[in-house]
Amino acid sequence: MLLAAALLLLFRPALEHRLFYRWDYFELISRTAEAQGVETALLLGLIRTESSFRPEAVSSVGARGLTQIMPETFEWLLGKTGEELPLDALFEPEVAVRYGALLLRTLLDEFGETGTALAAYHAGRGRVNQWLRDPAISPDGRTLAQIPANDTRHYVSKVMKAYGKYDEYIRNTLHQ
């Protein structure tokens, strides 16, 4: 009994993490993240926040799939890749993860900072560029000192929290 209690205490953080943070499609996400030069933990956090790992998810504004990509954004990304895919392809985990990682990589390259890139993923590039031009929101024109939209601020906070949890678990558990 004492041994069981000691083992529970030892493995409790890993067990809690496995219960509260899903790992669906981990191999696909990890492989795709590496191919795009995006941290696996960041992509996991984004997917957890966007769709709770539900490939059939559709938002109230029409975003689709695991990575909740808008139809217009998907068309824009298809133009970058040269692929021809129907909009419903976003319900396929491999397509959604590949295009979500491509979008995230594009935004990280454009904005150079994770929080700003995530704000653009949620609110759109145009809106974030508008915020960056406002000295009250972005004194340096490159980073957001604050995110003026509550829903986007909450979204970035949720993704960053999940990213931190996944990153901690990956570093402490999977790389031992």
Side-chain angles (χ1 to χ4, degrees), residues 155-168:
Y155 169 84
V156 170
S157 174
K158 281 179 68 174
V159 174
M160 292 302 287
K161 180 181 178 188
Y163 165 41
K165 293 286 187 182
Y166 279 114
D167 185 56
E168 178 183 9

Side-chain angles (χ1 to χ4, degrees), residues 3 5 33 36 45 73 81 84-86 92 119 123 126 141 151 155:
L3 179 61
Q36 285 294 335
T73 304
T81 66
E84 292 184 20
L85 296 169
E92 299 170 23
D151 57 336
Y155 169 84

Side-chain angles (χ1 to χ4, degrees), residues 5 31 85 102 122 131-132 175:
R31 183 177 64 247
L85 296 169
L102 172 61
H122 184 263
W131 293 339
L132 290 172
H175 292 294

Side-chain angles (χ1 to χ4, degrees), residues 10 17 22 33 41 48 58 73 81 90 104 106 117 120 129 131 136 138 154 159:
L10 179 66
H17 193 280
R22 293 178 61 174
R48 180 182 194 272
V58 179
T73 304
T81 66
L90 285 172
L104 184 56
T106 301
N129 277 313
W131 293 339
S138 175
H154 180 67
V159 174

Side-chain angles (χ1 to χ4, degrees), residues 32-153:
T32 305
E34 185 177 333
Q36 285 294 335
V38 172
E39 290 181 68
T40 298
L42 180 58
L43 191 53
L44 283 162
L46 183 140
I47 292 169
R48 180 182 194 272
T49 303
E50 287 287 354
S51 69
S52 297
F53 292 89
R54 292 178 303 115
E56 76 286 353
V58 179
S59 76
S60 61
V61 295
R64 297 170 181 230
L66 287 171
T67 53
Q68 290 292 280
I69 295 176
M70 292 292 292
E72 313 80 57
T73 304
F74 187 50
E75 289 297 321
W76 177 71
L77 291 168
L78 286 170
K80 292 174 101 33
T81 66
E83 283 188 284
E84 292 184 20
L85 296 169
L87 184 57
D88 283 349
L90 285 172
F91 294 124
E92 299 170 23
E94 189 169 314
V95 172
V97 171
R98 185 169 76 243
Y99 278 88
L102 172 61
L103 178 57
L104 184 56
R105 173 78 268 150
T106 301
L107 296 171
L108 287 165
D109 289 345
E110 180 176 350
F111 294 105
E113 196 269 325
T114 302
T116 307
L118 291 171
Y121 196 102
H122 184 263
R125 294 169 56 244
R127 196 164 179 201
V128 169
N129 277 313
Q130 188 176 43
W131 293 339
L132 290 172
R133 287 190 294 273
D134 183 341
I137 298 169
S138 175
D140 64 4
R142 292 186 315 272
T143 56
L144 297 171
Q146 63 175 338
I147 298 173
N150 289 338
D151 57 336
T152 300
R153 184 172 48 253

